Amino acid sequence: MQRIVVLAGGIGGARFLRGLKSAAPDAEITVIGNTGDDIHLFGLKICPDLDTLMYTLGGGIHEGQGWGRADETFVVKEELAAYGVGPGWFGLGDRDFATHIVRTQMIAAGYPLSAVTEALCTRWQPGVRLLPMTDDRVETHVLIDTADLGESAPGEGAESRRAVHFQEYWVRLRASVDAHAVVPVGADAAKPAPGVLEAIADADVVLFPPSNPVVSIGTILAVPGIREAIADAGVPVVGLSPVVGGAPVRGMADKVLSAVGVETTAAAVARHYGSGLLDGWLVDTVDEDSVPSVQEAGIRCRAVPLMMNGTEATAEMARQSLLLAEEVRA
Ligand code: GDP
Ligand code: CA
């Protein structure tokens, strides 16, 4: 049986996994999920990427939106707002609240996040083994100019900078101001969650789905030991570009790519991972011209359609990534 390890963020990772499950129904798939987006609100621990993966693969996702629950209502949020309790910018529905309550309750009882995630998955049956990258607290922060917000701290002038939580940058500010740095706070002291290094060591192939290279896959790779385990596993590592035609397919990944000095092109993202980590890279057919430059960087590259329009198109992307992995292995 083929053992596949996938490093995943939220929407891009989840949609790719749906295609991968369909393309490789007999494979044993382990997903290492990003937890740098996690946030504490209203006393609850919220894990947006793990939940997007779980709901998408378990059939509970709001399809159009790509995050949150289908058939959602927002009574709790409205009642909180009536008390003047925010933030109002983070969308939490009533059904979704239950997940965060169960998670927070189990963590308060002493269970690590990996055990909590396993328990939540007993209900959702995502058809993959879903592991958080770590049980330790890691929080991605983004450094911005306060002047860009139209505010500056007293006596500090226009030059002052402030770190905001990734969710505040992404959801409240919609990445509308420049990011000067992206810092996975706590990552340097975090340990991979139980099972993560073992899954990588036992894998036949490691895939990077079209997830955000900085704040999703980059954060997972920032947990000491994970990048090294992948590089040392001696198995093909193949990625699929989240950048098509010089722009992210959805979202604002260009903002966080600029923050780490990477151009928003499929080739630049491949070079950012580098040939020390990546063996193969798929770019979209519109980026066919960039194939030679990726290959010159020592990464085997192919141009294939990379738009995840429906499960069949996505399954074909997954098949192509597994084919490229076989080519690399040969
Ligand atoms: P998030 O945590 O919800 O932001 O999700 P991920 O990090 O897993 O994925 C976000 C990335 O997915 C974005 O950079 C998008 O450009 C990319 N993406 C979304 N839909 C598609 C698609 O259909 N094709 C490709 N190639 N990339 C996509
Ligand atoms: Ca995310």
Side-chain angles (χ1 to χ4, degrees):
M1 193 202 300
Q2 194 178 27
R3 281 167 299 199
I4 306 174
V5 166
V6 181
L7 271 50
I11 301 180
R15 291 193 171 158
F16 174 76
L17 281 159
R18 198 139 65 173
L20 180 65
K21 276 172 64 184
S22 151
D26 299 326
E28 188 183 291
I29 302 171
T30 300
V31 179
I32 302 173
N34 170 44
T35 58
D37 292 14
D38 293 7
I39 186 166
H40 291 77
L41 294 174
F42 314 112
L44 301 175
K45 181 174 174 70
I46 299 161
C47 301
D49 285 356
L50 294 180
D51 289 347
T52 293
L53 291 162
M54 192 170 75
Y55 295 156
T56 302
L57 300 176
I61 199 78
H62 184 304
E63 290 290 344
Q65 207 166 246
W67 55 269
R69 293 287 308 278
D71 302 319
E72 189 57 288
T73 52
F74 291 88
V75 176
V76 174
K77 191 179 177 195
E78 285 159 24
E79 290 294 316
L80 287 164
Y83 284 110
V85 173
W89 50 262
F90 200 83
L92 284 182
D94 301 326
R95 293 180 189 280
D96 202 17
F97 259 113
T99 304
H100 314 315
I101 292 169
V102 174
R103 174 185 292 121
T104 306
Q105 186 169 273
M106 286 188 72
I107 286 178
Y111 291 96
L113 181 63
S114 49
V116 175
T117 304
E118 192 181 341
L120 295 172
C121 285
T122 317
R123 170 180 176 195
W124 289 102
Q125 296 290 314
V128 299
R129 184 163 171 238
L130 179 58
L131 304 175
M133 64 187 197
T134 180
D135 280 335
D136 301 320
R137 182 162 171 173
V138 176
E139 233 176 57
T140 302
H141 288 191
V142 178
L143 200 61
I144 60 174
D145 278 332
T146 52
D148 286 343
L149 297 176
E151 58 172 65
S152 49
E156 281 181 38
E159 295 294 296
S160 76
R161 288 196 172 163
R162 179 152 80 87
V164 295
H165 190 287
F166 171 73
Q167 297 297 352
E168 187 174 356
Y169 182 71
W170 208 248
V171 181
R172 183 170 85 84
L173 299 172
R174 302 234 126 266
S176 57
V177 302
D178 286 344
H180 296 285
V182 177
V183 185
V185 178
D188 48 356
K191 290 178 301 299
V196 165
L197 296 182
E198 294 79 354
I200 295 169
D202 291 345
D204 298 310
V205 51
V206 176
L207 299 178
F208 295 176
S211 279
N212 190 305
V214 181
V215 293
S216 293
I217 297 183
T219 308
I220 300 170
L221 293 171
V223 176
I226 295 187
R227 176 188 287 272
E228 298 74 5
I230 293 171
D232 294 348
V235 299
V237 180
V238 172
L240 300 93
S241 180
V243 171
V244 171
V249 176
R250 37 179 302 160
M252 303 76 74
D254 48 317
K255 292 298 241 197
V256 288
L257 281 166
S258 315
V260 297
V262 177
E263 254 187 289
T264 306
T265 65
V269 173
R271 284 192 297 268
H272 171 63
Y273 287 128
S275 60
L277 187 65
L278 207 57
D279 303 302
W281 186 241
L282 293 179
V283 300
D284 188 82
T285 44
V286 305
D287 294 313
E288 191 144 27
D289 289 357
S290 64
V291 169
S293 86
V294 177
Q295 303 235 82
E296 276 159 32
I299 298 163
R300 194 178 283 252
C301 186
R302 294 280 176 277
V304 299
L306 286 190
M307 299 306 278
M308 297 191 280
N309 313 317
T311 305
E312 189 35 51
T314 311
E316 184 54 27
M317 284 167 56
R319 263 179 232 116
Q320 293 294 336
S321 67
L322 294 173
L323 275 174
L324 188 54
E326 286 319 308
E327 264 186 53
V328 166
R329 199 193 310 276

